[in-house]
Amino acid sequence: MKTNLKKIGLLICSMLLVTLAWAKTPKYHYVSIKTDNGDCLLRLYNETPKHRDNFVKLVKEGYYEGLMFHRVIHNFMVQGGDPNSRYAAQKQPLGEGGPDYKIPAEIQEGLIHKKGTIGAARDDNPAKQSSASQFYLVQGRIFTSAALDSLEQFRLKGKKLTAQQREVYQTIGGAPHLDGNYTVFGELLNGVETIDKIAVVETDERDRPLEDIRMSMKLLTRREALNLEREMEGLPPKTGFLTKVLDIFYSRYY
């Protein structure tokens, strides 16, 4: 009897080890962003791992809790992530705060500033290194073909946009003049209208909203991310008893 129980125990352990070895990991990291003007869901790009991992770290630490969107420009972008904004007084200049390190640039031709993307703010350093915490969500605008021609000639000094850029900026819209100068490291899966709501608020001479707009962020857990990806594939989420039991053996995040 004891031998049989031992065999059963070993079999169960073996099955758990196999299950753990073949555990599925989400394809992407996702961040839920809540604001005073609406909510949105962000997917971080794997093509920019340094920015992705840094952003994930800060979100998990609660770094962005209660910070403001301190710079808002209609038809351009909404910017936040300055820790000095958490307890900032009215009229206080913002935009200089953040961790004491920078993120190496991960600028890639295919990752462009279409509407709904997230980019890393930076100063004028020649290596185009990014601020470790400040970011912007692109609103931009839709361009005509003639407007893009003019942009190439005057603002881009003759540099030609790719076919992908021209198609995106004539349909979805965005901020093409930022391409090649700032790292784009993710995009919104939903809640793009939240950017539109924030972008039209009244601002002061420094582009700071007259009424504070605060944010809160949450990193989706491994299970939440897996179920989100299942839903995007048209599959039902896994929420059964066995799934919950097996999840005990996995890290909450990934």
Side-chain angles (χ1 to χ4, degrees):
M1 183 68 175
K2 289 183 178 179
T3 302
N4 289 336
L5 288 174
K6 186 176 181 180
K7 288 181 178 179
I8 292 172
L10 288 172
L11 179 61
I12 292 173
C13 289
S14 298
M15 291 175 65
L16 284 174
L17 287 173
V18 170
T19 301
L20 290 171
W22 289 92
K24 190 172 183 181
T25 301
K27 297 176 183 177
Y28 299 95
H29 288 77
Y30 304 89
V31 175
S32 170
I33 305 176
K34 295 183 178 297
T35 81
D36 294 329
N37 292 57
D39 305 335
C40 42
L41 181 63
L42 174 68
R43 177 175 67 194
L44 301 177
Y45 293 149
N46 292 328
E47 295 91 337
T48 52
K50 294 182 178 66
H51 285 74
R52 176 199 64 199
D53 293 348
N54 179 72
F55 198 74
V56 165
K57 172 182 174 291
L58 294 181
V59 172
K60 288 171 70 175
E61 292 174 352
Y63 188 93
Y64 292 104
E65 294 302 301
L67 300 191
M68 299 178 194
F69 286 95
H70 64 269
R71 183 169 177 244
V72 170
I73 302 177
H74 186 219
N75 288 332
F76 183 29
M77 58 88 225
V78 300
Q79 182 172 333
D82 181 351
N84 296 332
S85 69
R86 183 173 283 110
Y87 304 112
Q90 291 290 329
K91 300 289 186 180
Q92 177 179 332
L94 295 169
E96 300 298 325
D100 60 356
Y101 62 92
K102 296 185 184 298
I103 309 298
E106 295 180 293
I107 299 168
Q108 299 188 37
E109 184 175 328
L111 303 181
I112 63 176
H113 287 81
K114 66 182 179 182
K115 183 174 183 176
T117 51
I118 184 171
R122 66 173 178 83
D123 56 22
D124 292 328
N125 72 88
K128 300 180 181 179
Q129 295 175 314
S130 303
S131 163
S133 66
Q134 292 198 41
F135 66 90
Y136 54 89
L137 294 167
V138 177
Q139 183 194 34
R141 64 183 180 87
I142 292 177
F143 289 75
T144 64
S145 180
L148 292 177
D149 290 342
S150 178
L151 182 76
E152 289 176 336
Q153 181 179 356
F154 296 105
R155 192 149 192 180
L156 301 183
K157 300 178 180 179
K159 181 181 178 181
K160 296 296 183 182
L161 299 172
T162 66
Q164 176 210 14
Q165 287 173 299
R166 295 189 73 93
E167 179 181 0
V168 166
Y169 293 128
Q170 289 181 84
T171 54
I172 299 173
H177 66 283
L178 298 181
D179 290 348
N181 288 304
Y182 297 82
T183 297
V184 178
F185 63 98
E187 64 181 86
L188 296 182
L189 295 181
N190 59 51
V192 176
E193 64 277 4
T194 297
I195 302 175
D196 293 328
K197 291 178 182 178
I198 296 174
V200 295
V201 301
E202 191 174 357
T203 58
D204 64 16
E205 65 279 3
R206 294 189 180 92
D207 299 316
R208 175 178 166 177
L210 297 183
E211 294 187 12
D212 296 341
I213 303 173
R214 298 189 181 274
M215 67 183 77
S216 174
M217 295 194 193
K218 173 185 175 295
L219 180 69
L220 266 61
T221 64
R222 171 186 165 276
R223 175 53 52 194
E224 290 171 334
L226 284 172
N227 281 337
L228 173 64
E229 291 178 349
R230 285 180 62 84
E231 290 175 0
M232 289 190 290
E233 294 173 0
L235 301 172
K238 286 189 174 182
T239 57
F241 175 75
L242 181 58
T243 296
K244 292 179 180 178
V245 170
L246 292 175
D247 280 347
I248 296 173
F249 298 94
Y250 306 133
S251 171
R252 180 173 173 80
Y253 297 102
Y254 53 100

